[in-house]
Amino acid sequence: MATKNPHGKPFKLRFVRAAQMLLFSSALCDPPLGQATVVPFNDQTIKFTILLESSRSFPEQKWEAVLWHNGHENQEWKESVLQETTSPRQPLVIQNDSRPSVYRRWFNINLPKPSRPEPLYFTLKYRLSSSDTWKWVNEHSDCKDGVLYFQTEAPPEGLVNYLKDYSQDFSVTQVQSETPNTQLWSLTSSVKAAEDQVLTVFKPDDRGNVIAHSRNDSTQEGQVRVLAAVGATFNTALAAVMYHARKIVQGNDLMSKADKEEMQHALEKEVKAEWIENWYDGLTYCTWNGLGQDLNEQKIFDALNVLKDNKIQITNLIIDDNWQSLDNQGESQFQRGWTDFDANKEGFPNGMKHTTKEIRDQHPNIQHIAVWHALLGYWGGISPDGNIAKNYKTRKVRKAEGLAGGEMTVVHEDDVPRMYDDFYKFLLGAGIDSVKTDAQFFLDIIDDADDRRRFMKTYQDAWTIASLRYFSIKAISCMSQTPQILFHTQLTTNKPRLLVRNSDDFFPSIPSSHPFHIFTNALTSLLTSHLNVLPDWDMFQTSHPYSSFHAAARCVSGGPIYITDTPGQHSLDLIDSMTAPTISMPSKTIILRPNAVAKCIEQNVYTPYHSPRFLQLGTYHTGSTADYGTSILGIFNVSEQARTELVPLSNFPGVVNNQPEEEQKKYIIRAHPSGEISPEMQPGNEFAMVDLALEVKG
């Protein structure tokens, strides 16, 4: 028997068994297997689309396919035979170079919605002929059954329908939701005084319960408040909770009157539109991974010269950790304390002002220079023997046990505002006009409640006011996703949007960290997209095994783009794909990012990291009118093997289903970077989807 191999070359098969062909076949399904899908109430039928792929190494054959499900009376499992479609219009196939050459056969079926709203479970089986053995999709793959959940016309009223046997210590009040078609409740309980704010976190126990664990740092009895919402979608329920939380926080604003007036003055006098544009939209170079921890000004000069030689136009420079003057040379960073405002003499012998002047003289494209520092000074706080300790009152505090545990010296709460004002005034005079302020969570790991109460708001407010006064909005908040900071500094809308790190660090030498880095950012953005912040997905390197993976994520994130390349190790093609020259100033480079923050799409919210599914990030770039724009779907294979999926048009943000036919918009899907374009489609069309294959790191 003559046939062709996957590369199109002819060869002979002596004998072909059906079992052999089954081994080289696979099935894809929409709605997907191995995942939960919510069916809207108004959908009266469920449309299943199935793709069977078989290797072109064998002759093309006719296949039989069956949907096996419990959508029958009494939830009995039975089969529904799938009909092969002969439509000439088929989905766009987006494939990688290593995807084998295959035959594709499409099947579909419309199932009526079950009369009872219980979940419907389903799987697939297929074979070559009625005399052959069925192949179940989960026999040779890691795909589990799919499940459909059916929305009711209106969710049941009352919290008891959703939280069973909750503690009677809570007083429950239904409150008005600002999000349509949602229910919102406030659960409150008293918390005994500590030995100013109540901190509440959720923890699981070993019986599947959710525990609200509260800590009161005040000397008086406080109140714990839990907000709970129910809506037709995850995003509407989350919005209801976050809108009400912002109302509570802004109503209980604990910033002093003098601090409010100072911040308002800074906002009116110091924030400039061109700074916002450059800071958010300019390409940034950070020294951290690229230049290492043994940092000095010559390394910075050399790195910038290499960037210039390669015509890489950066707008912002971040001088990261290890520029400061510190004590205890040779000890770990947690044992070292900050001694002086100016840079250390070993690496910056003429001081920071000389360094920044050289940079600006040699590289006029660099508009902003930032330096790194910890919120409490350094990882080990303040040196008790340095000039800072001599000029400001200090206090010793103990940190909770762990990596950073132990005692350290910090500036006393009475002098924190003065220290920050003096420090940032010094930096501005030294040519620094922006900061990256790290290790902010240290406020949360101070052991003593009295010390936490002293420092929590004092440090946040002093930093906010000083950074606005001297640097406008040009500040990055790092390691700051603790509840006290989220609610006090990042949820309120009384100041410009702040750049806030959205995840843990970029770890270039840990391969397993890279897919998880994208996954955690996608999920964290569900929360941070409701804060008054621009999520920062951290730096990455353009010449790295995962460089394209990270670059794609940064471009769709809606946040800034920082590179931390080792000098000379750059992917110019990758940088060109992330940036573009401006029309007015061709020498100026801007990053290409959408004007909406990306986050995990609704369909992926409950998909775990190790699930055999693509991670999908949705965002949107608005056009010149409200009716038009570009919906963007960033799709990432975070698993350890190549995968293929059917991606429905409905996964794209802004695509509206269930509209009257005359009002339904038409769409095309364009694949990046191949440039392939799908046929025109509308939601509900037979093939309103794409067939996508991605390699590992794809």
Side-chain angles (χ1 to χ4, degrees), residues 362-380:
Q362 298 301 318
H363 305 279
N365 55 292
I366 297 178
Q367 300 294 306
H368 304 298
I369 303 175
V371 292
W372 177 99
H373 71 88
L375 184 65
L376 300 180
Y378 196 66
W379 298 103

Side-chain angles (χ1 to χ4, degrees), residues 5 90 99 140 238 297 358 370 452 562 626 630 635 657:
N5 68 14
Q90 295 190 355
R99 187 177 185 182
H140 302 286
L238 177 61
E297 67 174 10
E358 285 292 309
R452 288 195 302 269
Y562 315 140
T630 302
I635 305 176
N657 294 312

Side-chain angles (χ1 to χ4, degrees), residues 521-540:
N521 272 287
L523 272 294
T524 304
S525 290
L526 292 167
L527 169 68
T528 54
S529 63
H530 286 279
L531 304 177
N532 188 30
V533 306
L534 187 63
D536 163 15
W537 289 31
D538 201 21
M539 65 195 85
F540 73 102

Side-chain angles (χ1 to χ4, degrees), residues 113-414:
K113 181 192 289 188
S115 57
R116 301 170 64 184
E118 283 83 1
L120 184 154
Y121 292 85
F122 64 92
T123 187
L124 298 172
K125 62 179 181 179
Y126 53 97
R127 64 185 179 181
L128 278 172
S129 69
S130 57
S131 61
D132 294 325
T133 304
W134 288 104
K135 175 182 178 180
W136 294 89
V137 292
N138 57 2
E139 286 181 350
H140 302 286
S141 72
D142 51 3
C143 266
K144 298 180 180 178
D145 293 351
V147 58
L148 303 180
Y149 291 99
F150 298 93
Q151 287 187 334
T152 56
E153 184 173 9
E157 295 282 342
L159 186 63
V160 293
N161 290 292
Y162 307 100
L163 289 182
K164 305 293 184 184
D165 303 322
Y166 57 81
S167 172
Q168 295 306 302
D169 292 334
F170 281 111
S171 174
V172 179
T173 305
Q174 184 158 8
V175 295
Q176 182 66 41
S177 172
E178 296 183 23
T179 306
N181 303 318
T182 57
Q183 300 175 55
L184 179 66
W185 298 272
S186 175
L187 293 78
T188 57
S189 182
S190 60
V191 186
K192 293 181 180 179
E195 284 277 336
D196 345 68
Q197 293 290 307
V198 176
L199 169 66
T200 302
V201 296
F202 294 119
K203 296 182 178 181
D205 66 7
D206 56 4
R207 297 188 297 274
N209 296 313
V210 177
I211 307 300
H213 180 270
S214 297
R215 181 188 76 196
N216 185 6
D217 287 348
S218 176
T219 56
Q220 300 177 345
E221 184 177 278
Q223 185 183 70
V224 54
R225 185 189 303 269
V226 174
L227 299 179
V230 171
T233 68
F234 172 87
N235 284 322
T236 56
L238 177 61
V241 166
M242 296 304 293
Y243 294 162
H244 195 71
R246 180 177 289 115
K247 184 186 297 185
I248 293 171
V249 169
Q250 294 188 158
N252 294 336
D253 191 356
L254 298 175
M255 183 178 277
S256 70
K257 181 180 179 181
D259 285 348
K260 287 182 185 176
E261 292 175 351
E262 178 61 38
M263 187 172 71
Q264 187 60 37
H265 176 77
L267 289 171
E268 293 172 355
K269 300 295 183 181
E270 305 300 335
V271 177
K272 298 182 180 180
E274 64 270 22
W275 289 356
I276 296 174
E277 177 188 345
N278 290 339
W279 185 241
Y280 288 165
D281 294 337
L283 181 64
T284 300
Y285 181 80
C286 181
T287 63
W288 178 242
N289 296 111
L291 303 188
Q293 298 184 30
D294 183 20
L295 188 64
N296 59 61
E297 67 174 10
Q298 191 57 51
K299 285 186 176 181
I300 298 172
F301 296 157
D302 293 344
L304 295 178
N305 287 335
V306 172
L307 292 174
K308 183 177 181 180
D309 292 343
N310 283 277
K311 297 182 173 54
I312 300 172
Q313 294 281 337
I314 65 168
T315 300
N316 309 310
L317 169 68
I318 300 174
I319 300 174
D320 215 296
D321 194 359
N322 293 294
W323 68 271
Q324 289 170 281
S325 296
L326 308 170
D327 64 6
N328 296 332
Q329 179 73 29
E331 298 289 337
S332 80
Q333 71 264 42
F334 300 111
Q335 306 304 317
R336 305 193 71 188
W338 188 30
T339 62
D340 293 279
F341 288 165
D342 207 349
N344 66 76
K345 297 299 183 184
E346 296 77 19
F348 303 82
N350 298 304
M352 183 57 75
K353 187 172 185 177
H354 171 268
T355 303
T356 60
K357 184 178 185 304
E358 285 292 309
I359 291 171
R360 294 184 188 278
D361 287 348
Q362 298 301 318
H363 305 279
N365 55 292
I366 297 178
Q367 300 294 306
H368 304 298
I369 303 175
V371 292
W372 177 99
H373 71 88
L375 184 65
L376 300 180
Y378 196 66
W379 298 103
I382 303 299
S383 170
D385 303 317
N387 286 328
I388 294 172
K390 294 176 182 176
N391 294 326
Y392 306 95
K393 290 170 62 177
T394 61
R395 180 179 177 87
K396 286 190 179 297
V397 298
R398 176 164 291 280
K399 295 170 289 181
E401 291 302 320
L403 178 65
E407 194 174 69
M408 71 176 181
T409 300
V410 298
V411 173
H412 193 280
E413 73 271 20
D414 291 346

Side-chain angles (χ1 to χ4, degrees), residues 397-556:
V397 298
R398 176 164 291 280
K399 295 170 289 181
E401 291 302 320
L403 178 65
E407 194 174 69
M408 71 176 181
T409 300
V410 298
V411 173
H412 193 280
E413 73 271 20
D414 291 346
D415 272 1
V416 170
R418 182 168 68 90
M419 185 277 290
Y420 259 105
D421 190 80
D422 292 346
F423 178 39
Y424 282 7
K425 184 186 299 181
F426 168 82
L427 289 179
L428 192 64
I432 299 297
D433 66 353
S434 39
V435 287
K436 174 182 175 180
T437 306
D438 207 342
Q440 299 198 25
F441 75 97
F442 271 36
L443 293 173
D444 187 46
I445 64 170
I446 294 174
D447 243 358
D448 186 72
D450 180 56
D451 286 333
R452 288 195 302 269
R453 187 170 58 252
R454 289 169 180 268
F455 294 125
M456 188 64 70
K457 294 184 183 62
T458 302
Y459 267 94
Q460 289 185 68
D461 292 343
W463 178 72
T464 298
I465 291 170
S467 59
L468 281 170
R469 179 186 295 152
Y470 293 104
F471 306 137
S472 182
I473 52 92
K474 302 186 300 298
I476 305 170
S477 176
C478 241
M479 298 178 97
S480 58
Q481 290 182 352
T482 65
Q484 305 97 320
I485 298 175
L486 290 174
F487 289 120
H488 186 69
T489 301
Q490 298 174 11
L491 183 60
T492 56
T493 56
N494 58 349
K495 51 187 173 296
R497 202 159 53 154
L498 179 68
L499 280 177
V500 172
R501 270 284 296 283
N502 204 51
S503 69
D504 205 344
D505 289 7
F506 164 74
F507 296 109
S509 60
I510 305 177
S512 63
S513 72
H514 302 291
F516 192 67
H517 185 95
I518 309 305
F519 178 83
T520 53
N521 272 287
L523 272 294
T524 304
S525 290
L526 292 167
L527 169 68
T528 54
S529 63
H530 286 279
L531 304 177
N532 188 30
V533 306
L534 187 63
D536 163 15
W537 289 31
D538 201 21
M539 65 195 85
F540 73 102
Q541 294 178 324
T542 67
S543 183
H544 184 275
Y546 278 88
S547 59
S548 296
F549 198 74
H550 280 287
R554 302 310 187 279
C555 285
V556 300

